[in-house]
């Protein structure tokens, strides 16, 4: 029997396995992942940003854990020789309405203890001559990294400390007794005293297998990216973000320098019909039925109809997508937008149509489930792991 079993080989699951071994040296820990490799889904399909915590509701788990996670990520990367860069981020207001929202974000950043600078249009133009706006917030602590490399380094520590990592093992049953939990699937079964589930896009299904009475559904939102030609990679020096809509959990289409020298544009947010299908037009009948048959999604669609139509249009027509970028970087052209792999965000939606913004964690007597861990989960992975281990 194992002491601990972790389901999920993204960065949160791997960080949790590592933290368990740190807290309990000599414990028998096994991590089980359905895919053939680690970091195959949300961890490996994002913008690679080390977030600072500016956006999040004061007092929320996101706000608290993101600040701690940003510091840990930089320290761990430096110690492990993982390339990263603290390039800073500009949140650019392009009109008076966005400027008002930007000022509200400035107040929130002060409450959250995040260092920022408030820039006028002239200072914005001086720092980023290719970017246009009526003002901006500069967040100097934001950085870029490759989270696949961070996950691989964490996994190496898990193995060094005696933990097991099992790949290619889908879990189709979870049976909990007073003394243990057994998880099983086509590849085998594993019994542990305690189970931690960090299943991302499959979080709701794992929760139902464990007998949790949940009132939400994981709805996949495709985040589609483009990449600029390498000759245009120096277009900006910092991350360039729009001022987000506070009613939505998505941050909007942004320009992101990457740690390997590229410059990406994205992501948008389009309803997906396959939780793990990254090609455009991917459809999984079970996933589509789960999403389209859920009343909460119908309520989201009615509430955010205009936004949904715009995102779909921009997905179908490159010029609409380009227009979102040209609001703050007007010299971009359609020829600049080259193909880039998409990501898929696991968004928890309640039955009443509420989009869950914060991390959501529930438990049974012998299991802990991470039910909603969207951005900035990669930045916050180790503090999330500590939070979970503290509650086991």
């Amino acid at each position: 029997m194992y002491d601990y079993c972790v389901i999920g080989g993204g960065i949160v699951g791997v960080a949790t396995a590592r933290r368990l071994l740190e807290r309990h040296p000599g414990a028998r820990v096994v991590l089980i992942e359905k895919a053939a490799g680690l970091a195959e889904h949300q961890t490996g399909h994002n913008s690679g940003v080390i977030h600072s915590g500016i956006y999040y509701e004061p007092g929320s788990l996101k706000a608290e854990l993101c600040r701690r996670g940003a510091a840990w990520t930089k320290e761990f990367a430096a110690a492990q020789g993982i390339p990263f860069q603290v390039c800073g981020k500009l949140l650019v207001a392009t009109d008076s309405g966005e400027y008002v929202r930007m000022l509200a974000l400035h107040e929130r950043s002060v409450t959250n203890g995040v260092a920022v600078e408030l820039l006028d249009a002239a200072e914005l133009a001086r720092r980023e001559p290719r970017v246009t706006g009526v003002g901006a917030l500069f967040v100097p602590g934001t950085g870029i990294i490759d989270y696949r490399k961070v996950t691989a380094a964490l996994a190496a520590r898990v193995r060094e400390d005696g933990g097991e990592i099992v790949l290619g093992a889908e879990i189709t049953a979870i049976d909990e007794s007073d003394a243990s939990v057994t998880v099983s699937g086509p590849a085998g079964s594993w019994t542990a005293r305690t189970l931690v589930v960090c299943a991302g896009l499959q979080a709701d299904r794992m929760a139902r297998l464990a007998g949790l009475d949940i009132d939400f559904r994981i709805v996949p939102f495709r985040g589609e990216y483009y990449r600029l030609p390498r000759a245009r990679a120096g277009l900006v020096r910092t991350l360039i973000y729009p001022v987000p809509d506070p009613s939505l959990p998505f941050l909007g289409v942004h320009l992101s320098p990457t740690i390997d020298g590229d410059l990406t544009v994205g992501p948008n947010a389009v309803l997906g019909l396959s939780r793990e299908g990254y090609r455009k037009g991917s459809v999984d009948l079970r996933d589509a039925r789960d999403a389209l048959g859920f009343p909460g999604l119908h309520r989201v669609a009615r509430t955010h109809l205009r936004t949904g139509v715009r995102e779909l249009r921009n997905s179908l027509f490159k010029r609409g997508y380009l227009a979102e970028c040209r609001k703050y970087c007007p010299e971009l052209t359609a020829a600049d937008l080259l193909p880039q792999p998409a990501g898929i965000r696991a968004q928890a939606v309640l039955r009443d149509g509420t989009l869950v913004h914060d991390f959501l964690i529930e438990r049974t007597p012998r299991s802990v489930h991470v039910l909603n861990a969207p951005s900035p989960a990669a930045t916050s992975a180790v503090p999330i792991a500590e939070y979970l281990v503290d509650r086991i």
Side-chain angles (χ1 to χ4, degrees):
M1 180 187 292
Y2 292 93
D3 295 300
Y4 303 100
C5 174
V6 179
I7 296 176
I11 192 170
V12 174
V14 177
T16 299
R18 173 181 179 267
R19 187 59 180 146
L20 284 166
L21 287 162
E22 287 182 324
R23 184 76 63 89
H24 306 288
R28 292 197 68 203
V29 176
V30 61
L31 182 144
I32 303 168
E33 165 57 39
K34 180 178 70 171
L38 300 173
E40 289 295 303
H41 295 297
Q42 293 182 104
T43 302
H45 290 81
N46 59 47
S47 301
V49 176
I50 304 172
H51 288 282
S52 58
I54 183 173
Y55 303 105
Y56 312 121
E57 186 71 29
S60 66
L61 277 177
K62 274 191 176 183
E64 176 189 349
L65 301 184
C66 185
R67 288 194 306 273
R68 289 164 47 194
W72 179 90
T73 300
K74 295 167 189 174
E75 291 171 7
F76 183 75
Q80 295 291 313
I82 299 171
F84 75 99
Q85 180 183 349
V86 182
C87 57
K89 171 170 66 177
L90 282 165
L91 285 87
V92 178
T94 60
D95 58 36
S96 58
E98 290 183 358
Y99 190 82
V100 171
R101 298 209 307 267
M102 184 191 76
L103 293 179
L105 270 180
H106 181 256
E107 292 180 6
R108 176 169 286 189
S109 70
V110 173
T111 303
N112 284 339
V114 178
V116 296
E117 294 180 55
L118 188 60
L119 311 182
D120 60 18
E123 180 61 15
L124 169 63
R126 189 189 71 78
R127 297 194 187 191
E128 290 287 0
R130 265 72 176 268
V131 174
T132 300
V134 298
L137 285 180
F138 178 59
V139 189
T142 303
I144 52 176
I145 199 167
D146 183 342
Y147 283 112
R148 287 181 182 268
K149 293 182 179 179
V150 178
T151 305
L154 287 168
R157 298 285 288 275
V158 170
R159 293 185 176 105
E160 288 168 7
D161 291 342
E164 297 178 37
I165 296 178
V166 180
L167 301 175
E170 181 179 7
I171 298 303
T172 56
I174 299 176
D175 298 303
E176 181 172 337
S177 68
D178 291 340
S180 63
V181 184
T182 297
V183 301
S184 57
S189 65
W190 298 263
T191 300
R193 293 184 175 88
T194 302
L195 172 68
V196 185
V197 182
C198 308
L201 287 155
Q202 308 296 335
D204 55 342
R205 291 170 177 164
M206 292 295 104
R208 287 196 293 272
L209 287 179
L212 279 172
D213 183 17
I214 60 173
D215 196 32
F216 75 93
R217 189 68 47 84
I218 292 295
V219 175
F221 283 90
R222 284 177 55 80
E224 296 167 338
Y225 291 86
Y226 289 97
R227 173 179 49 83
L228 270 63
R230 185 54 73 97
R232 299 277 271 166
L235 186 70
V236 294
R237 294 188 296 272
T238 59
L239 294 149
I240 308 295
Y241 276 64
V243 177
D245 180 343
S247 70
L248 295 170
F250 311 113
L251 299 181
V253 172
H254 44 268
L255 282 169
S256 301
T258 68
I259 199 62
D260 59 2
D262 280 327
L263 181 61
T264 63
V265 182
N268 59 359
V270 182
L271 176 65
L273 297 179
S274 175
R275 297 192 186 194
E276 299 175 6
Y278 294 95
R279 291 187 178 182
K280 201 162 190 172
S282 294
V283 177
D284 179 285
L285 292 180
R286 182 190 181 196
D287 294 344
R289 184 172 60 248
D290 272 0
L292 298 177
F294 183 57
L297 180 59
H298 301 168
R299 295 184 173 99
V300 170
R302 287 196 296 270
T303 302
H304 300 288
L305 180 61
R306 177 178 291 183
T307 299
V309 170
R310 184 185 72 234
E311 293 291 308
L312 180 59
R313 182 193 66 222
N314 293 347
S315 172
L316 295 173
F317 304 104
K318 184 187 285 190
R319 291 198 173 276
Y321 197 112
L322 178 65
E324 296 294 319
C325 312
R326 286 172 59 91
K327 289 178 182 177
Y328 53 77
C329 191
E331 71 178 73
L332 289 176
T333 68
D336 288 325
L337 303 185
L338 305 178
Q340 177 76 0
I344 299 176
R345 176 192 178 106
Q347 176 62 52
V349 179
L350 302 183
R351 186 168 290 274
D352 66 3
T354 300
L355 296 166
V356 181
H357 290 260
D358 205 1
F359 300 139
L360 179 62
I361 297 166
E362 297 289 348
R363 63 171 302 152
T364 70
R366 289 204 167 268
S367 68
V368 179
H369 293 252
V370 180
L371 300 176
N372 192 60
S375 178
T379 300
S380 311
V382 166
I384 292 172
E386 293 171 347
Y387 183 90
L388 296 174
V389 173
D390 286 345
R391 280 150 184 79
I392 290 175

